[in-house]
Amino acid sequence: MSKDYENVLEDLALVYRLKEQAEAHKKESDALLAGTRALLTAKNEKELYTKMFGIFRSLYSYDVSFVLENDSKGKMRCTNTTHPKLLDTMWDVDETLSRAIKSSPVALFNVKLQPTWREHLHLFDAPITSALLCPFRVHHQQAVMVFCHQTLGFYTQEYVDMANRYRTFTQQMSMSVQAKLMALETIKLKEEKAQVEKSLISSEKMASLGLLAAGVAHEINNPIAFVNSNMMFIKDVLPSLTSMQDIVQELARATTDEERAAVAEKAKQWTSNNKIGPIVDEIADICEESGEGLNRVTEIITSLRSFSHSSDVSIDDTVNINDCITNGLRLVNSELKHKVTINTDLADIPLIKGKTGKLNQVLVNLFVNAAQAMDNGGTLTVTTQCNYLDDNEVVIVTVQDTGSGIEKDDLEKLFDPFYTTKPTGKGTGLGLYISFSIIESMGGKIKVDSEVNVGTTFTLQLPVASSDSETDDSETGDSETGDSETGDSESDNGNADSANANKAP
Ligand SMILES: Nc1ncnc2c1ncn2[C@@H]1O[C@H](COP(=O)(O)OP(=O)(O)OP(=O)(O)O)[C@@H](O)[C@H]1O
Ligand SMILES: [Mg+2]
């Protein structure tokens, strides 16, 4: 054999080796690419593993694959698999498994020889004989990915080498898996938090409704009671009106002078017994009074409906905060009216971004808090005004009371969940926590200023719906509850302690 020929053969062998390597690299890069794509698109852990199993099938040609993770009982648990019957099975950490965990991939020529495997073999539909165990890390713990094949000794040293060769890639994949799992976990936690908050909001609303129910029932009962007594009056005067109608009909039927004279006599008697003028006046008054009473009932029911308004109806609600204030005050009226003077100074303000139901909940809580802080009487002042803050148009709402006030140290805890100074049944301590999250979700701010034995002022700052949104002036000026000159609440409380609700609830 000439030297040249030998060189050519050597070169050819080299070319083949390089070609094989290039193909292996291509396979690896393809898997890496598919893996990355899978990681980017998976929305949960199950989907992530389904995609991973798909990628590894092209590399290890397995019949069944599964993941074993450390379990608290010193065993390993199957957490993900292509074969559902294996899910949650517990595996003893035998010698091979611990070797796979600690060092490098392990090939099992015949799994039937392993006691750990024998107890699980009945779960496989296909007769599994060989396996490849590849270590990786997940959830900050060692885990093993297992590939099983029906062919005896399928996973040769070549596969172990391949698994070793892909170790960096698998490691990278598992790191990405961990990162992805953490991201998914965070998303899940956020979703759970949102869910819990949502149910808290609705249970707090239910609690407030319970608290208001007696007062609202009383408010509704009053007009219903006088409408009822008015109805009784009409029922009482009805017979005399009917008898008058009989006289009129008799007169219409009368043809002779005698008949007409007899009817005239009856009419004379009727007028001496009944005063038609006052009866008609009374009925007119009654109708007007009953109409007003029923209007009041309608208003209270509208306020109740507005309060219990579902908060999820649409994303982009616009709200007239003056309406919310009027509705809220109407609901708490019976709680307030006997001991508290209510003043309102509601300016001509634009609509704000937000949800009616949720804003009503915030306001009702502020009003009820104020009422409960003024057990011995006082004044509740509610104002609205439009302002510019850093070039942004905002609506400022102040709810000021002349009640007990809040200690400086307690101001810090005010927006914490379950912070309450009220006895069971009177307060859950969720009102301000929920108010904070509602106002924050609307892009607004809530602030409190207070001085012990002087009073407390809550200030809401709410972004307006949009610069071109219409100005709703239907409910401006002083509301039905009274009027007063209320200045800037903060200036009223010059020395007051204050707390901005700027910590996450
Ligand atoms: N206007 C106020 N004047 C004095 N203290 C207040 C005032 N508003 C709130 N507080 C204090 O803050 C605490 C928390 O108020 P928050 O509205 O969160 O809960 P709550 O009123 O106790 O119960 P609920 O969940 O029924 O609203 C109250 O218990 C009270 O001590
Ligand atoms: Mg409260």
Side-chain angles (χ1 to χ4, degrees), residues 16 54 81 92 116 159 199 231 259 275 293 304 311 327 345 392 396 409 458:
Y16 272 114
T81 176
D92 284 331
T116 314
Y159 273 101
S199 60
M231 289 299 139
E259 281 170 345
K275 301 280 170 260
L304 260 184
S311 333
N327 280 331
D345 185 7
N392 293 320
I396 308 283
D409 288 349
F458 281 90

Coordinates of all heavy atoms in Angstrom, one line a residue, residues 16 54 81 92 116 159 199 231 259 275 293 304 311 327 345 392 396 409 458:
Y16 N -15.2 11.0 8.0 CA -16.3 10.2 8.5 C -16.6 10.6 10.0 O -17.7 10.8 10.4 CB -16.1 8.7 8.3 CG -16.7 8.3 7.0 CD1 -15.8 7.8 6.0 CD2 -18.0 8.4 6.7 CE1 -16.3 7.4 4.7 CE2 -18.5 7.9 5.4 CZ -17.6 7.5 4.5 OH -18.1 7.1 3.3
G54 N -40.8 14.7 24.8 CA -40.8 14.6 23.3 C -39.4 14.8 22.8 O -39.0 14.1 21.9
T81 N -44.4 11.7 34.1 CA -44.1 10.5 33.3 C -44.9 10.5 32.0 O -46.0 11.1 31.9 CB -44.5 9.2 34.1 OG1 -44.3 8.1 33.3 CG2 -45.9 9.2 34.7
D92 N -37.6 3.0 46.2 CA -36.5 3.0 47.1 C -35.2 3.5 46.5 O -34.9 3.2 45.3 CB -36.2 1.5 47.6 CG -37.3 1.0 48.5 OD1 -37.8 1.9 49.2 OD2 -37.6 -0.2 48.5
T116 N -35.8 -3.2 43.4 CA -36.6 -2.0 43.4 C -37.5 -1.9 42.1 O -38.6 -1.5 42.2 CB -35.7 -0.7 43.3 OG1 -34.7 -0.9 44.3 CG2 -36.4 0.6 43.5
Y159 N -24.9 4.8 24.8 CA -25.9 5.7 25.3 C -25.5 6.5 26.6 O -25.8 7.6 26.8 CB -27.2 4.9 25.6 CG -28.1 4.8 24.3 CD1 -28.1 3.7 23.6 CD2 -28.8 5.9 23.9 CE1 -28.8 3.5 22.4 CE2 -29.6 5.8 22.8 CZ -29.6 4.6 22.0 OH -30.4 4.5 20.9
S199 N -61.9 36.9 46.8 CA -62.9 36.3 47.7 C -63.0 37.1 49.0 O -64.1 37.3 49.6 CB -62.7 34.9 48.0 OG -61.5 34.7 48.6
M231 N -102.7 54.2 52.6 CA -103.6 53.2 51.9 C -104.8 53.0 52.8 O -105.9 52.9 52.3 CB -102.8 51.9 51.6 CG -101.8 52.0 50.6 SD -102.5 52.5 49.0 CE -101.3 53.7 48.5
E259 N -138.1 62.9 41.4 CA -136.9 62.1 41.5 C -135.7 63.0 41.7 O -134.9 62.7 42.6 CB -136.7 61.3 40.2 CG -137.6 60.0 40.2 CD -137.5 59.3 38.8 OE1 -137.0 59.9 37.9 OE2 -138.0 58.2 38.8
K275 N -117.0 65.9 54.0 CA -116.4 67.2 53.4 C -115.5 66.8 52.2 O -114.4 66.4 52.3 CB -115.5 67.9 54.4 CG -116.3 68.3 55.7 CD -117.1 69.5 55.5 CE -118.1 69.8 56.6 NZ -119.5 69.4 56.4
G293 N -92.2 58.6 49.3 CA -91.8 57.5 50.1 C -91.3 56.4 49.3 O -90.2 55.8 49.5
L304 N -78.3 50.1 47.2 CA -77.9 48.7 47.6 C -77.4 48.0 46.4 O -76.3 47.3 46.5 CB -79.1 48.0 48.2 CG -79.3 47.9 49.7 CD1 -80.5 47.0 50.0 CD2 -78.0 47.3 50.3
S311 N -68.0 43.6 40.6 CA -66.9 44.4 40.2 C -66.2 43.9 38.9 O -65.3 44.6 38.4 CB -65.8 44.3 41.3 OG -66.4 44.0 42.5
N327 N -74.8 57.6 47.2 CA -75.3 56.3 47.4 C -74.8 55.7 48.7 O -75.6 55.2 49.5 CB -74.9 55.3 46.3 CG -75.7 55.5 45.1 OD1 -76.9 55.8 45.2 ND2 -75.2 55.2 43.9
D345 N -69.5 68.6 50.4 CA -69.2 69.7 49.5 C -68.6 69.0 48.2 O -67.4 68.7 48.1 CB -68.1 70.6 50.1 CG -67.8 71.8 49.3 OD1 -68.5 72.0 48.2 OD2 -66.8 72.5 49.6
N392 N -50.9 65.6 36.1 CA -52.0 64.6 35.9 C -53.3 65.1 36.6 O -53.2 65.5 37.8 CB -51.6 63.2 36.4 CG -50.5 62.6 35.6 OD1 -50.5 62.7 34.4 ND2 -49.6 62.0 36.3
I396 N -59.8 64.4 44.1 CA -59.4 64.2 45.5 C -60.7 64.1 46.3 O -61.6 65.0 46.2 CB -58.6 65.4 46.0 CG1 -57.4 65.7 45.1 CG2 -58.2 65.2 47.5 CD1 -56.3 64.8 45.2
D409 N -48.7 55.4 66.7 CA -48.2 54.0 66.5 C -49.2 53.2 65.7 O -48.7 52.3 64.9 CB -47.9 53.4 67.8 CG -46.7 54.0 68.4 OD1 -46.0 54.8 67.8 OD2 -46.4 53.7 69.6
F458 N -59.4 60.8 55.9 CA -58.9 59.9 54.8 C -59.0 60.6 53.5 O -60.0 61.3 53.2 CB -59.8 58.6 54.7 CG -59.4 57.6 55.8 CD1 -60.1 57.6 57.0 CD2 -58.4 56.7 55.6 CE1 -59.8 56.7 58.0 CE2 -58.1 55.7 56.6 CZ -58.7 55.8 57.8

